[in-house]
Amino acid sequence: MALKTRITEMLGIAHPIVQGGMQGVGTAELASAVSNAGGLGILTALTQPSPAALRAEIERCRSMTDRPFGVNMTVFPTINPPDYLGYAQAIIDGGVKIVETAGTAAVREIWAMLKPHGVTILHKCTAVRHALSAEKAGCDIISIDGFECAGHPGEDDIPGLILIPAAADKVRIPLLASGGFGDGRGLAAALALGAEGINMGTRFCATREAPIHPNIKQAYLDNDERGSLLIFRKLKNTARVGRSPVSEEVVRRLEQPGATFDDVKDLVSGAAGRRMLETGDLGGGIFWAGMVQGLIHDIPTCEDLVSRIVAEAETIIRGRLAAMIAG
């Protein structure tokens, strides 16, 4: 079974399924498992404490798979920015040829470093206008991120059912559909909407290889399609996270008149989130999660998940849809 698209050919993978970069989750264990399953696994650069640590993680991942994998570089607006150029140099030194990027316009400096080294740039966008800008700047693949997604969906609130075909109408380079994907129905739908593959984050968190405490994985199963909350809306930095007493408290505090980020920083700190992923204490922080939680009902291996998604998509395309054509 195989679905051949420009994404599979450009990235050298068997199946048009990409594991998005996720802070605290995109380690060698998960990335190598996704790549070994025929998709594209992605290490998250800033999960590592330094460029030197990223170099070591790249080598560790390479020792666990002989298939293509990538690295995510997300540029955040922050008072004390990490050594982004040092991390980019670590990617170059490690011989990685696929990089997923996201974030502010400052990411273009990263592109300028990577492109001369033959790196394929996969850039995540939440709006068609941003996708067109990235295409014009020389990116190779666009991951178009619908409002359903975990993480930062932007401020336009456009769901994938509209955003994906709207992007496909205008963007000429290959598109990955991101946000709300977790099974073969989603993959078949993404292809029908004009994308050439899917990018999954939340669904890969609920796999055996994801470096997440079992309590957090169980939360993905326990939550349904209503099991996420939007935080930071008032701050114009909207983020979708899993519904929990902590995320509900974040929303409550920010709804108060005059509320600022300082009123919730104790609840949403990166350090607190990392501890929560390790300890499983759902009262210790927030966890990223999309609406796709409503489609998550088990915790398979990455191999089983990817194989199942591709088989389901092929059955839908060859069987159910083909049977609807009369004459």
Side-chain angles (χ1 to χ4, degrees), residues 231-303:
I231 62 174
F232 306 152
R233 297 235 82 180
K234 185 176 180 179
L235 307 178
K236 302 298 183 184
N237 188 29
T238 301
R240 187 181 297 282
V241 299
R243 182 181 291 274
S244 71
V246 177
S247 60
E248 289 174 345
E249 176 63 13
V250 171
V251 172
R252 188 195 70 78
R253 290 188 190 181
L254 287 177
E255 286 177 343
Q256 304 307 307
T260 68
F261 179 77
D262 285 343
D263 295 308
V264 298
K265 66 181 181 180
D266 60 314
L267 301 178
V268 301
S269 75
R274 287 190 293 273
R275 285 194 301 271
M276 184 204 61
L277 293 180
E278 294 171 1
T279 66
D281 177 10
L282 284 164
I286 58 172
F287 63 98
W288 301 105
M291 290 181 174
V292 75
Q293 288 174 110
L295 304 179
I296 298 176
H297 307 299
D298 63 353
I299 303 174
T301 64
C302 290
E303 174 69 38

